[in-house]
Amino acid sequence: QNNAPVTFTDADSGIIFNSWGIADGAPQTQGGFQFGVALPEDALETDASEFLGYLQCARTEGAGWCGVSLGGPMTNSLLITAWPHEDTVYTTLRFATGYVMPDLYTGDAEITQVSSTINATHFTLIFRCQNCLQWSQDGAERSASTSSGALVLGWVQAFGEVVNPTCPDQISLDQHDNGMGIWGAQLDSNAANPSYTAWAAQATKTVT
Ligand code: HEM
C-alpha cells in the first residue's frame, strides 16, 4: 500500500482525489483495493469534518463487501462498510469496541452518493461523508485530523455474503476474509480543493 498519495480525477464528476491502494494481483488482497479522499479547500490548515470518498473494492458475482476504518484499527473508529446488491451500492456507518460484528454508529454522520458502478469482479462508490472525521460512541471520542497532513486509515475486504443486504441498519456479516490492513495516508496539496463545495453538491443520492 502506498503512503504517498496518487492523484486521480474521476472523469464524470470532475472530483480530484488523493488515493492509496493495493494493485489487482498483489498478495494482500484478491482483486485489489483503492480508496481516495477529496477535502474542503482549507482542510490542510483547519481540520475538516467531512470528505468526498472514492472506494474501489473486489467482489464475486453474488457476494462481497469492503470497509474503511477512519481511525486505523477496527475498534474505536468510525467504520464505513459498503457492498453491492443488484444495481445499488449500499453503505452503513458502524462502530466496534471489539473484534465482533460492529454496532450501528449512533452519531449524526451521514453518507450520500455521487455515483457508483458494479460489475462481476468489482464495485466503486463515490460518496460524501458528512460529520465523519470526528466521532464519539460508548465513551470513545476520536478524530482524524486533516490539518496534520496525514490520515491513519484501515481497510478490509471480504467475499462473504451480506445478510439483509437491502437494509443497511440490519445487516450481518461474517469476519472479513480477503485481507485487511492499516496505513498512513499522506495528504498532498491536491487533496484540498476550492471546487469541493461544488463537487459535494453532486452527492444527491441517499441509499438507506
Ligand atoms: C481486523 C473481526 C467486521 C474492519 C479484524 C480482526 C478481527 C476482526 C478478529 C483482527 C484480525 C487479526 O489481527 O488477525 C471482525 C468480525 C467482523 C468484522 C468478526 C464481523 C462479524 C469488520 C467491519 C469492518 C472491519 C464491518 C469495517 C471497516 C477491520 C479492520 C481491521 C480488522 C480495518 C484491521 C485493523 C485492526 O486489526 O484493527 N477484524 N471484523 N471489520 N477489521 Fe474486522
Side-chain angles (χ1 to χ4, degrees), residues 103-207:
D103 295 331
L104 275 176
Y105 179 59
T106 54
D108 65 353
E110 187 189 9
I111 288 180
T112 45
Q113 301 192 3
V114 175
S115 63
S116 60
T117 66
I118 302 171
N119 68 25
T121 57
H122 291 88
F123 65 100
T124 67
L125 178 66
I126 295 177
F127 62 99
R128 181 184 190 182
C129 203
Q130 290 172 270
N131 291 322
C132 288
L133 295 175
Q134 293 87 28
W135 58 92
S136 165
Q137 185 147 317
D138 300 335
E141 261 185 59
R142 302 277 165 88
S143 61
S145 165
T146 58
S147 68
S148 71
L151 305 172
V152 180
L153 301 173
W155 66 273
V156 281
Q157 293 210 102
F159 287 135
E161 191 192 350
V162 176
V163 177
N164 292 329
T166 61
C167 296
D169 287 1
Q170 290 166 34
I171 60 161
S172 63
L173 305 167
D174 286 330
Q175 184 171 341
H176 31 85
D177 60 357
N178 186 27
M180 66 186 163
I182 295 178
W183 84 101
Q186 293 163 12
L187 299 167
D188 73 14
S189 58
N190 292 319
N193 197 293
S195 297
Y196 183 87
T197 308
W199 292 338
Q202 297 180 55
T204 53
K205 185 176 176 184
T206 304
V207 176

Side-chain angles (χ1 to χ4, degrees), residues 65 67-68 73-74 79 81 99 101-102 156 173 175-176 180 182:
W65 58 272
V68 170
M74 177 170 156
L79 304 174
T81 307
Y99 288 100
M101 176 69 207
V156 281
L173 305 167
Q175 184 171 341
H176 31 85
M180 66 186 163
I182 295 178

Side-chain angles (χ1 to χ4, degrees), residues 76-89:
N76 298 315
S77 303
L78 184 56
L79 304 174
I80 299 170
T81 307
W83 64 96
H85 182 77
E86 294 180 351
D87 58 359
T88 302
V89 174

